[in-house]
Amino acid sequence: MPEWKLSPLPSTLTEALQQRIDQKTKPPGALGTLESIALQVGQIQRTLHPTLRNPAFLVFAGDHGIVESGVSPYPQEVTAQMVLNFLAGGAAINVFCRQHQIRLQVVDAGVKHPLPDHPDLIRRKVCAGTRNFQQEPALTPEEVTTALREGQALVQQAAQQGTNVIGFGEMGIGNTSAAAAIMQRLTGFPLEDCVGRGTGLDDSGLAHKRQVLAAALEQHPDARTPLEVLQTFGGAEMAMMTGALLEAAQQQMLILLDGFIATAAFLVAFRMHPEVRDYTLCCHQSDEQGHRRMLEFLGLTPVLQLDMRLGEGTGAAVAFPLVQSAVLFLNEMASFESAGVSSRDDA
């Protein structure tokens, strides 16, 4: 099992960073959330002059056996088809990464169907789709360990390439069911607060999904620790993302957190090492049922609320230019002293 040693953010720079922010030519707090982002990035990088280097996004893809129980209106083949769309540059995440000059790669963590070679495809398949967790654990302990280790290695490679800001997306038909089960077991919230419509279930489909997940949770009453819950209900892409999240925090990167699925993986990482939260910026609140409550449980405040529920890392990519703005104002905006502008009389 991989190990991580996460350092809490140092408090030594907090006062100096806040003072630098407050001395810019503006009323205190006038840039709102941008100020808190600038403070967080400076703390993560242990500097008064933070920079964003080689931004990278990894989209982890994997299939889920729970689809056999009719929890999604889409067939499992869509996972592989969407991966091909990513590789062709045609998905929303491709558009936003191109717009913001973010390097994007797709990771085959556990896609059921074969995929062709492509320079932007990273092959790290730990299984050809998970088992149906309504009947048996989705992953084996060995598969979880391998996925965690692969996620760790991918972020280590990104760090060697100079990346200090990273986002994670996902693709996998059925993964909202996996995320809802993980959320329920690790938060204790009522199941109806955790289960949403996913890729567009109607009322009867949503009711069926709740019934399936209720039976699945009852089938596995002893899965309680974060790793047991991940093994029992998670997907290979979620397990790999968990390892990547923890390693990104260990590498002192800024983590751009996406929506419901990514936050379920983050919930596992948080329960393993709560310090991961210090390195994470919650980029948006998904329109998927349960995401708001999960963020409240984690103590995370979303930067954006645009009623998005696509996944892929799209919410994180859309928020990236706001992070750029926060870092740029901290580094380039004049202070009252340098601009010759009078500050408040009570300053």
Side-chain angles (χ1 to χ4, degrees), residues 51 87 101 115 126 130 144 151 171 180 185 205 219 227 236 241 249 341:
T51 59
L87 298 176
Q101 299 179 336
L115 296 167
V126 300
T130 64
V144 170
M171 179 63 219
R185 186 54 56 87
Q219 175 75 13
L227 286 180
M241 192 187 304
V341 175

Side-chain angles (χ1 to χ4, degrees), residues 144-211:
V144 170
T145 298
T146 300
L148 290 169
R149 187 172 290 121
E150 293 290 358
Q152 180 183 47
L154 288 169
V155 173
Q156 288 172 345
Q157 184 179 16
Q160 291 168 2
Q161 295 169 347
T163 293
N164 68 359
V165 53
I166 195 163
F168 304 112
E170 40 61 40
M171 179 63 219
I173 296 301
N175 60 13
T176 60
S177 294
I182 288 171
M183 175 186 173
Q184 197 288 320
R185 186 54 56 87
L186 290 182
T187 65
F189 290 151
L191 181 61
E192 56 267 24
D193 290 353
C194 306
V195 183
R197 297 182 184 275
T199 47
L201 289 171
D202 58 18
D203 288 346
S204 63
L206 178 60
H208 174 72
K209 182 178 179 179
R210 287 174 177 160
Q211 292 171 354

Side-chain angles (χ1 to χ4, degrees), residues 37 45 90 118 123 149 192 203 208 219 223 315 323 338 347:
I37 295 173
Q45 296 185 7
H118 191 281
R123 297 185 183 277
R149 187 172 290 121
E192 56 267 24
D203 288 346
H208 174 72
Q219 175 75 13
V323 182
S338 68

Side-chain angles (χ1 to χ4, degrees), residues 217-343:
L217 287 159
E218 192 173 314
Q219 175 75 13
H220 305 286
D222 298 329
R224 296 290 171 180
T225 70
L227 286 180
E228 288 171 348
V229 171
L230 181 62
Q231 178 204 334
T232 303
F233 304 110
E237 84 281 22
M238 300 171 76
M240 208 168 287
M241 192 187 304
T242 301
L245 285 162
L246 290 169
E247 184 61 27
Q250 181 165 272
Q251 295 286 340
Q252 298 178 6
M253 294 180 179
L254 172 65
I255 299 166
L256 303 180
L257 185 65
D258 193 50
F260 186 59
I261 312 303
T263 307
F266 178 84
L267 176 61
V268 177
F270 174 79
R271 289 289 302 272
M272 293 172 67
H273 293 280
E275 300 89 348
V276 70
R277 183 174 57 186
D278 294 343
Y279 296 85
T280 302
L281 180 68
C282 177
C283 291
H284 83 122
Q285 180 181 307
S286 170
D287 197 42
E288 175 65 15
Q289 166 81 5
H291 194 221
R292 178 184 60 81
R293 290 212 67 188
M294 188 153 46
L295 294 180
E296 291 172 352
F297 178 86
L298 290 163
L300 293 172
T301 303
V303 174
L304 300 172
Q305 187 172 350
L306 300 175
D307 296 332
M308 296 172 65
R309 54 179 179 86
L310 179 58
E312 304 177 5
T314 49
V318 167
F320 177 69
L322 299 179
V323 182
Q324 289 178 308
S325 295
V327 170
L328 286 171
F329 100 73
L330 182 61
N331 287 326
E332 298 182 11
M333 188 175 175
S335 67
F336 285 108
E337 182 180 5
S338 68
V341 175
S342 297
S343 59

